[in-house]
Every structure is written in C-alpha cells, then in structure tokens.
Amino acid sequence: MTHDLGSLVEVVGFLVAMTVLGRACADEGLFDAWGGAVARVSRDPRRLGVAAGLLAAGTTVVLTLDATVVLLTPVLLAAGLGRRGSLLSVRLANSASTLLPISNLTNLLAVAATGWTFLEFARVMLPVWVVAVVAEIAIVTWWCRRDPAPAPPSGPVPATPLVPAGVVIAVLCGLAAGEKPWIVATAGAVLMAAHAVAIRATTWRDLLAAANLPLAVVVVVWGWVVTLVAGTPAGDWITDLLPHGTTWAALVGIALISMVTANVINNLPATLLLLPAAAATGPIGVAALLVGVNVGANLTAVGSLANLLWRGAGGRATVRWAEFHRLGLLTTPLLVVLGASVLWAWSFVAV
C-alpha cells in the first residue's frame, strides 16, 4: 500500500507541474497559435473538425489530458466549433491518452508494472491510439452532423511562441530519456513559469490557482482510501473478477471490468485497485487495463477528473450531462472492446 500511495503522490505531483507548465504556455499564446495553425490549414469548414480532433489528440499526448480539457477547450470554442469542438476535446482527452506514459496519470502508475521503456510503451500502444483517435473523430463528426458549419477563420494567425515550444520539446526529451516524470515536469514548469512571469504574460497568483492544489490533495486522499479498500475482502472480490491470461476474451474482459470500475470510483483509484491483478497476467494485461480506464472514462462524468475539469472549462455551455452520458453509453463500451481487440492482435507482433 505504501508503494502505491507513494506512486500516487509522485504522479499527482507530475499533474500539478504539467498543469502549471500548460497554463504558462497558454498565457504566452501557445494554444492560440496551435488553434490558429489548425484553422489556417483547414480553410474548408468540413475539415476543421478533423483538424481540431487531431490537435486535441496531440495535445493530450504531449501535455496530458488535463491540459486538453482545461486549456484547449476554450480555444476550440473560440474557433466557433461549439458542441463539436467541446466533445472532441473531452472525448479525445480520455481516448487519446493511451499513447505515452505521460499522457495520463493512470499510465504513469502502471508503466513500471509493464517493464517497458518510454518508447516500448508507445510502440505497443500506438495501434490502439490510432484506432481510438480515428473512431472518436468519426463518432463526434457523425453525432454533430446537423450542427451549423463553423465560420471560416479570419484575421492573422498568431506566431508560435518559441520559448514555450522549446520547453515542451525539452520536457518530452527528458521524459523519453527515462528521467523521473515529476522531476522533469517540475523543472519545465519552473522554467516556463519564471519566463511567463518575467514577460508579464501571467502572474504567480494565476499559476498557483492553475495548480489547483486542493484538487491534488483530494486525489491523493481518495487514492489512499481506495488502497485501504484494496486490502479488504471487498477489494479482493473486485480484483478476483479480472480474467487471467492474454486471450482475446481475457483482454476484453480486463478492459471492460476496468471501464466499469473506473466509472464507479474514478479511473485513477481504479488503476491502483486493479493493477496488481492485471500485472499478474503480464504487461499486455496491464495495457488492457489502461484501455479500460482511459478510453472507458468517456462512459460517465466520474470516469476521469478530466471530465469534471472540462465541464468548468466551457463544456457546460455546449453539452449537457445527459447528452454526454447518452453518447458515452452508446459508443464507449464498443470502443473499449475495439481497443482491447486491436491490442490483442498487435501483441503477437509487438511483444
């Protein structure tokens, strides 16, 4: 339990650091520049949604899913994408977070149990990520097919600020080199925050508010409570439900049970609870767990913290919870089965 709680504290520290890094980058105009670049290469309004979805997926991979819902959602709404942009932001924040160990805190908790390096993790999860991203963009495009087309972009496109782009690249290189994620992220956050404050793009008070330390404390406490439950007969009963083995049925079963658990207690504590049992089946079992807790987080509002953060970042103005849940119930279980199936097929090549 102590190891799990210590790991949780580290990954929450990583979240706080990446949130500050993302906020400083946003205040210096990085997300506005990315949004403007998407608009420029997608003059056809029909293609703008696809480009926005790819931007949401890329932001999730590089800066974590929380940066996507908090910082990119307002940019997509400002670009006139409305409900389509809002749904792309939140759904791809979850489904596109399977690619790198840093893309989701659940990945950071689980990557050590796989024994994979940063790049090996990405190699195994790449087909799952591609299928999830393509499927989510297609689903949201169909769901919003009767929405009015966004207006063509106007005005000059902001230039990409060099310092934020350079810091983000440096952080990625440090993480790929195998350094501790929370240390690399903290170094990047301090550097980026100091620069943003120095040029008066933001203030220390704004960055401290963006860190959302009370939420970080809640996540750690809730994770601690779950680790206590994991040591009880109730915890044993839940983990005993996970199938053993790496057959197609076993991996799909692990993913679906993980999805349900994540939508009952949230995906971060669900990972803590189910990880030992999934790890007993091998690294592919852990990967199936991540498909369930990441892609499956789109099922309900409580599936991930990103869903709740998205609501406060503009989601409530465009999408009601009833619609969010209706879309989630219709599509998310199928996407989880699809992701686990792709993982099973790819495992014969990649592992």
Side-chain angles (χ1 to χ4, degrees), residues 20-273:
V20 172
L21 172 63
R23 179 74 264 173
C25 288
D27 289 341
E28 289 204 23
L30 183 62
F31 287 89
D32 292 332
W34 285 353
V38 166
R40 181 177 58 189
V41 301
S42 305
R43 294 291 182 180
D44 182 349
R46 293 172 296 182
R47 297 188 307 180
L48 182 56
V50 175
L54 294 176
L55 175 60
T59 301
T60 298
V61 169
V62 174
L63 289 173
T64 78
L65 72 169
D66 296 296
T68 300
V69 294
V70 173
L71 303 175
L72 185 62
T73 299
V75 171
L76 297 181
L77 293 177
L81 282 165
R83 185 174 64 141
R84 180 179 305 177
S86 187
L87 285 172
L88 284 170
S89 178
V90 66
R91 289 186 63 90
L92 283 165
N94 291 312
S95 292
S97 67
T98 56
L99 183 59
L100 298 182
I102 64 165
S103 303
N104 197 321
L105 300 189
T106 56
N107 302 351
L108 283 175
L109 283 173
V111 65
T114 66
W116 296 329
T117 65
F118 188 94
L119 294 179
E120 287 172 340
F121 185 98
R123 178 172 59 86
V124 173
M125 301 305 287
L126 178 60
V128 178
W129 181 83
V130 170
V131 169
V133 169
V134 172
E136 290 287 13
I137 292 175
I139 287 169
V140 173
T141 299
W142 176 83
W143 188 262
C144 301
R145 63 194 181 280
R146 294 190 176 90
D147 290 5
S154 61
V157 176
T160 299
L162 297 181
V163 171
V167 171
V168 168
I169 292 172
V171 168
L172 282 177
C173 291
L175 293 168
E179 301 297 331
K180 281 189 172 292
W182 73 269
I183 294 177
V184 176
T186 300
V190 170
L191 178 61
M192 193 62 242
H195 184 267
V197 170
I199 66 171
R200 298 185 178 180
T202 190
T203 66
W204 288 112
R205 179 175 297 179
D206 290 340
L207 294 175
L208 181 61
N212 206 343
L213 296 179
L215 177 62
V217 172
V218 169
V219 171
V220 172
V221 171
W222 181 230
W224 175 70
V225 170
V226 170
T227 58
L228 292 179
V229 173
T232 68
D236 293 337
W237 177 79
I238 294 173
T239 56
D240 286 344
L241 291 176
L242 285 189
H244 299 285
T246 56
T247 63
W248 173 84
L251 294 183
V252 169
I254 291 172
L256 288 175
I257 292 171
S258 301
M259 176 191 72
V260 172
T261 307
N263 285 279
V264 173
I265 63 173
N266 185 261
N267 62 354
L268 202 60
T271 302
L272 283 173
L273 179 62

Side-chain angles (χ1 to χ4, degrees), residues 91 95 128 131-132 135-136 139 291 295-296 298 330-341:
R91 289 186 63 90
S95 292
V128 178
V131 169
E136 290 287 13
I139 287 169
V291 171
V295 179
N298 281 320
L330 288 172
T331 63
T332 300
L334 295 176
L335 287 181
V336 169
V337 171
L338 177 61
S341 300

